[in-house]
Amino acid sequence: DTGVSQDPRHKITKRGQNVTFRCDPISEHNRLYWYRQTLGQGPEFLTYFQNEAQLEKSRLLSDRFSAERPKGSFSTLEIQRTEQGDSAMYLCASSLQGVPSYNEQFFGPGTRLTVL
Amino acid sequence: AQSVTQLGSHVSVSEGALVLLRCNYSSSVPPYLFWYVQYPNQGLQLLLKYTSAATLVKGINGFEAEFKKSETSFHLTKPSAHMSDAAEYFCAVNQAGTALIFGKGTTLSVSS
């Protein structure tokens, strides 16, 4: 039984560079969420997919951010022209929508991004 | 709109003492409530969840929480703290099928 995996675990980049993160959800899960967690704060919702459709985006997701989930399996989160304020832990979670309706989400280990 | 407030950003207890981490929620509809634990440089692990089946919810590692609608609270307790309980704890709320809304977290320190 494999859980949610994320790659890379750590990424250091220079301001202005583009970065891409990958998330592999639990195989039978049809929903995939991205959250961002800054130091000393709880995770904040960025976006989520049901299968390959992106159903909701937070206002935190500026136009420099884009997420995809081709074929409804793994997902990528890309940040273009990174800024120092993008430094955070990026968490991915997956769930099986439907029964039970409370939508228990399982989290990956996160990707820690540091923008210099 | 839903929200979660965790009272106390840092709680310190002695090993063997009672652990009490406070969480109050705001929701216009019956909520689903969760407690997650996060160890350093790791993702979040679900401790327990309230889904309206029972107001007293038991979770992993000896933790439990009680849903009190009149107080809009969902406080997390453990009768006897262990050193391994030292971590960051997050309370979260959502409605069915939506994103989780998290509190700011409470850091639990356990001293011997």
Side-chain angles (χ1 to χ4, degrees), chain B residues 9-89:
Chain B
S9 60
H10 198 152
V11 171
S12 297
V13 299
S14 299
E15 194 171 22
L18 171 71
V19 174
L20 171 61
L21 304 182
R22 300 177 187 273
C23 172
N24 287 88
Y25 70 91
S26 173
S27 178
S28 58
V29 297
Y32 298 121
L33 292 158
F34 305 81
W35 275 100
Y36 283 86
V37 62
Q38 185 177 36
Y39 298 98
N41 297 314
Q42 295 187 24
L44 281 73
Q45 179 183 11
L46 182 66
L47 279 177
L48 49 79
K49 55 185 179 285
Y50 167 75
T51 59
S52 76
T55 57
L56 183 60
V57 180
K58 294 187 183 298
I60 63 171
N61 301 339
F63 285 94
E64 62 181 40
E66 186 172 8
F67 174 73
K68 292 187 177 180
K69 183 178 179 180
S70 61
E71 298 178 8
T72 61
S73 69
F74 190 57
H75 301 331
L76 181 71
T77 61
K78 182 174 180 177
S80 177
H82 191 272
M83 296 293 287
S84 61
D85 294 327
E88 185 89 17
Y89 291 80

Side-chain angles (χ1 to χ4, degrees), chain A:
Chain A
D1 177 29
T2 58
V4 179
S5 61
Q6 293 186 245
D7 183 70
R9 294 290 309 274
H10 303 274
K11 178 71 177 179
I12 299 174
T13 190
K14 293 182 179 179
R15 188 178 55 184
Q17 298 295 304
N18 300 342
V19 295
T20 300
F21 310 141
R22 177 180 171 125
C23 171
D24 286 89
I26 294 171
S27 59
E28 65 269 24
H29 283 183
N30 55 2
R31 285 205 170 178
L32 188 149
Y33 298 78
W34 285 99
Y35 293 85
R36 181 175 71 183
Q37 184 179 21
T38 53
L39 201 62
Q41 300 294 320
E44 296 173 294
F45 167 71
L46 292 178
T47 187
Y48 88 89
F49 295 82
Q50 180 159 318
N51 301 314
E52 65 275 11
Q54 189 172 15
L55 295 188
E56 187 176 349
K57 292 192 289 187
S58 161
R59 59 182 171 79
L60 293 176
L61 210 68
S62 76
D63 55 8
R64 296 185 297 106
F65 288 68
S66 62
E68 294 182 339
R69 193 184 181 196
K71 303 179 182 178
S73 56
F74 71 91
S75 175
T76 58
L77 178 68
E78 181 183 16
I79 309 174
Q80 296 183 327
R81 305 180 304 279
T82 53
E83 301 172 355
Q84 288 184 327
D86 297 332
S87 295
M89 175 80 89
Y90 290 84
L91 294 165
C92 176
S94 70
S95 70
L96 184 61
Q97 188 269 341
V99 179
S101 61
Y102 51 80
N103 191 33
E104 180 176 339
Q105 296 180 29
F106 296 82
F107 283 81
T111 294
R112 181 166 296 283
L113 172 66
T114 302
V115 181
L116 302 177

